[in-house]
Amino acid sequence: MHRRHVLASVSALGALAALPFSTGVQAQERRRLVLGQSVPLTGPAAQLGIQMQAGAKMFFDAQNAAGGINGTTIELRTLDDGYEPDRAKANTEKLINDDVFSLFGYVGTPTSVAALPLVNQNKIPFFAPLTGAESLRDPASPWVFHIRASYYDETALIVKQLTQLGLMRISVFHQNDAYGKAGLDGVLRAMKPLAIQPQAVSTVERNTVDVAKAVKDLVSTGAPPEAIVMVSAYKSCAAFIRAARKAGYGGVFYNVSFVGTQALLDELGPEAMGVVVSQVMPYPFGAGIGVVADYQAAATKAGQKFNYTAMEGYIAAKVFSEGVRRMARPTREGLVTALESMANYNVGGFNVNFRPGKHVGSNFVELSMLTNDGRVKR
C-alpha cells in the first residue's frame, strides 16, 4: 500500500508540472522564469533594441550568476521585429504560444500597440515597454506596467522651456505612425493653454530617411520656425537635422527620448552640437550613485559604452526582479499583485510608484544637450 501511494503521488506531481504556466506549478518545478521580448535588432532602429536588451541582460545575467531571486533565475528570450508592427505581433503570438511568463521591454509605440490586444486577450504581464504613448496608458490595462514618463510629460517640458525662452514659432517633425502621432498630440496638448499652434507640421515614414519633403515643408518655405520638435527614431532625425542645416536652418532641434540619445550622437557626429533631447531615465554618465553606479559597473565589466537606452533596460530588469522577489505565488496574477505593492520603490535614486489602478511608475523628465565631441550635457 505504501509503495502504491508513493507511485500515485509521483504520477500526480508529474501531471501538475505539465499544467499551463499560469498555474505557477511549472515555475516552481523548473525554478526559471522566461520573459519574452520583441525589439528591433536589425534595421534603422536597431540600436534601440540592441541597447535595451543589453541593459536588461546585464542585470539578469549578474543576478542569475549570484543564484537568482530566492533560487529562481530569469531568461530573457528576444526576437527581432525590425520595428515593424506585423512582425512584433507575430513575435508576440510565438512567445505566448511558447508559454513565456511575461512580456518585457518591447521597443516602440507601433510595435507595442500591435502586441496589446494579445496581452489583454491572454492575460499576460507586459512590462516596461520603451514608449510613452497614451494609447498604451489610457484606457489602462491591468496587465501593462510602465517605468517611464509619458510623451505628454516630455513634450510638456519641451514646450515649457521653449516658450519660457521666448521661442514661440515652433514646428513639429514626426514619424507618420502611432509614435509620431502620440508626440504631436503631446505638443498640441502643451500648446493649448498658451493659445498657440505649431507653425507647421510634416512627417517621415517609419524606417525611412526620406526627409526632403519635410525639410521643404518646415524650413525651406516661408519664415523658418525658431525651434523644431522632433518625434522620430535616430536615423530619420539625424537625416532631417543634416538636411535642414544644409538648407540654411539656424534654429534649435528638440527630440523626445525615444530618438535614442547615443544612437543620434553616433549618427550626427560633430553635427550633434546643440541638439536637445528630453530624458526619462537618470543621467548615465559622470560620477554615478545608486542604480547609476551599479549600471556603470556592469557596463564597464561588459565593455559597453554608457547610454540612456541600456540604462532603461537595466532599471526595467531591476524593477521586474523586485516584483518577482515579492510574489506570494509564482503566477502571472501573482506578479501583477506583487508589482502593485511597489509604492514609492526606490531603485537607487530613481523612484517607481505602482499601486492598484496605477501602473505608470514614473513621471521623471529632464532635458539634455548633445555636444560636437560625442558627449551629453545636462
Side-chain angles (χ1 to χ4, degrees):
M1 289 291 293
H2 179 70
R3 182 172 178 273
R4 288 198 299 273
H5 177 74
V6 170
L7 289 174
S9 297
V10 170
S11 176
L13 285 172
L16 284 172
L19 288 174
F21 192 59
S22 59
T23 65
V25 175
Q26 207 170 26
Q28 288 177 314
E29 290 295 316
R30 63 188 180 186
R31 311 279 295 174
R32 177 171 62 101
L33 299 181
V34 180
L35 312 186
Q37 181 183 41
S38 179
V39 297
L41 299 176
T42 57
Q47 283 304 310
L48 300 176
I50 290 169
Q51 292 167 9
M52 184 71 170
Q53 179 200 40
K57 276 185 61 61
M58 281 192 295
F59 185 86
F60 287 141
D61 289 350
Q63 184 172 248
N64 292 344
I69 310 164
N70 300 325
T72 297
T73 59
I74 294 180
E75 175 190 337
L76 182 60
R77 188 174 299 168
T78 305
L79 301 178
D80 179 21
D81 59 37
Y83 193 35
E84 290 294 349
D86 290 346
R87 291 174 64 183
K89 180 180 178 182
N91 286 347
T92 304
E93 289 171 341
K94 178 177 181 358
L95 290 166
I96 291 173
N97 289 337
D98 288 347
D99 204 21
V100 299
F101 180 65
S102 174
L103 301 176
F104 173 93
Y106 277 40
V107 169
T109 300
T111 46
S112 295
V113 167
L116 185 60
L118 295 168
V119 167
N120 291 326
Q121 177 185 339
N122 291 277
K123 298 181 178 180
I124 183 169
F126 188 60
F127 189 80
L130 200 163
T131 169
E134 286 301 307
S135 55
L136 289 151
R137 298 159 186 251
D138 186 15
S141 165
W143 300 99
V144 181
F145 288 82
H146 303 273
I147 64 164
R148 59 165 25 231
S150 73
Y151 292 141
Y152 281 3
D153 295 322
E154 293 189 61
T155 51
L157 181 59
I158 288 172
V159 171
K160 179 181 179 181
Q161 183 177 85
L162 288 173
T163 53
Q164 285 182 343
L165 292 172
L167 306 180
M168 309 299 285
R169 298 200 315 274
I170 303 168
S171 292
V172 181
F173 167 76
H174 71 89
Q175 199 164 282
N176 188 25
D177 63 5
Y179 160 49
K181 184 178 185 304
L184 174 61
D185 287 347
V187 173
L188 294 174
R189 185 173 186 264
M191 286 181 165
K192 186 174 181 180
L194 304 174
I196 60 174
Q197 289 281 329
Q199 177 170 301
V201 175
S202 195
T203 65
V204 64
E205 296 304 312
R206 181 179 58 250
N207 281 341
T208 74
V209 292
D210 186 6
V211 298
K213 182 179 184 301
V215 171
K216 181 179 178 182
D217 291 344
L218 300 185
V219 305
S220 299
T221 303
E226 296 165 307
I228 299 175
V229 179
M230 312 183 74
V231 190
S232 194
Y234 58 92
K235 281 193 177 289
S236 53
C237 286
F240 181 91
I241 290 168
R242 283 193 297 264
R245 284 180 171 160
K246 187 176 180 179
Y249 180 66
V252 294
F253 301 97
Y254 276 63
N255 294 259
V256 296
S257 61
F258 184 81
V259 70
T261 304
Q262 186 60 50
L264 184 62
L265 266 170
D266 293 343
E267 286 288 322
L268 286 173
E271 295 177 272
M273 183 67 183
V275 174
V276 177
V277 183
S278 56
Q279 307 293 353
V280 296
M281 289 291 130
Y283 186 70
F285 312 100
I289 60 172
V291 70
V292 175
D294 293 343
Y295 160 72
Q296 289 178 343
T300 299
K301 183 177 180 180
Q304 297 179 11
K305 295 191 336 187
F306 305 157
N307 68 81
Y308 280 101
T309 308
M311 168 67 82
E312 185 162 347
Y314 189 87
I315 288 177
K318 184 168 184 178
V319 176
F320 185 91
S321 297
E322 176 63 17
V324 171
R325 189 187 69 78
R326 297 185 185 201
M327 283 195 304
R329 297 177 300 124
T331 65
R332 292 169 176 169
E333 294 81 2
L335 175 63
V336 168
T337 300
L339 290 169
E340 289 181 338
S341 76
M342 295 172 65
N344 298 316
Y345 172 59
N346 188 333
V347 192
F350 181 81
N351 292 326
V352 172
N353 185 14
F354 293 136
R355 61 177 183 267
K358 181 183 181 299
H359 289 187
V360 177
S362 170
N363 61 1
F364 168 81
V365 186
E366 65 179 12
L367 297 176
S368 66
M369 181 176 289
L370 311 187
T371 70
N372 60 358
D373 58 355
R375 293 182 296 120
V376 182
K377 298 172 62 177
R378 298 169 83 173

